[in-house]
Amino acid sequence: MSQPPAPQRTTVLLQRVDAATEALVSNFKQIVDLSSNSGKERGYVASEVFQIESSATSLVRSAEELMFVTRSLKEAWILGQIKPLRNEEEQQQQQEGDGLTEDKDVNDREQQNTKKVNPKAEKLLDAILQES
């Protein structure tokens, strides 16, 4: 089975992170909203307990989804499928040292894509580093 191109894979992973994060927040909010049981009838409390258990299960699923994305990123990094982001000076030094000359349009497109993905990737990587 072949892997999708890197930009498409990045988009899919970011969408999965966004969806899982939204699910985490909404399920946690629902649990907090249902948590008070002051003066409620026993049957009503029992139905809320069931809703809380359901939300907790969804919360766990969302957390597992985020762990899957984290694992996928780690695997891609270990297998060399993720290129580290470098600043422009390091790129120029490497190009001069290797004697490589890349097409200016390709470099410009890569830099634009990096600027689009970089803030979300940094947040995601910060979250990954905080886990470990």
Side-chain angles (χ1 to χ4, degrees):
M1 187 165 127
S2 65
Q3 293 273 341
Q8 183 181 7
R9 187 174 48 213
T10 301
T11 304
V12 169
L13 288 174
L14 289 174
Q15 289 172 346
R16 290 176 84 169
V17 167
D18 290 342
T21 303
E22 288 175 20
L24 278 171
V25 171
S26 67
N27 286 316
F28 189 75
K29 183 182 180 303
Q30 186 175 9
I31 289 171
V32 170
D33 290 343
L34 294 170
S35 64
S36 71
N37 71 1
S38 58
K40 296 179 184 174
E41 293 181 19
R42 188 177 189 125
Y44 190 71
V45 171
S47 70
E48 284 184 344
V49 166
F50 178 74
Q51 290 175 344
I52 289 172
E53 287 175 359
S54 175
S55 293
T57 302
S58 296
L59 196 94
V60 169
R61 274 194 221 116
S62 299
E64 288 174 346
E65 177 67 20
L66 288 174
M67 288 173 43
F68 173 78
V69 171
T70 301
R71 184 182 57 120
S72 298
L73 286 171
K74 287 178 183 179
E75 287 176 357
W77 178 68
I78 288 170
L79 296 173
Q81 296 171 348
I82 296 178
K83 295 179 183 177
L85 299 175
R86 296 186 230 156
N87 63 26
E88 292 179 25
E89 287 180 18
E90 289 177 359
Q91 286 178 344
Q92 286 179 342
Q93 288 174 356
Q94 183 180 7
Q95 287 175 356
E96 291 171 3
D98 294 343
L100 299 176
T101 56
E102 291 189 39
D103 187 21
K104 186 176 187 217
D105 292 335
V106 173
N107 270 339
D108 290 343
R109 278 184 282 161
E110 286 179 1
Q111 288 175 359
Q112 288 172 355
N113 289 338
T114 300
K115 288 177 185 176
K116 290 178 187 175
V117 175
N118 199 17
K120 287 186 177 182
E122 285 180 3
K123 288 179 186 178
L124 184 58
L125 290 175
D126 287 343
I128 291 169
L129 292 174
Q130 288 176 358
E131 281 184 0
S132 43

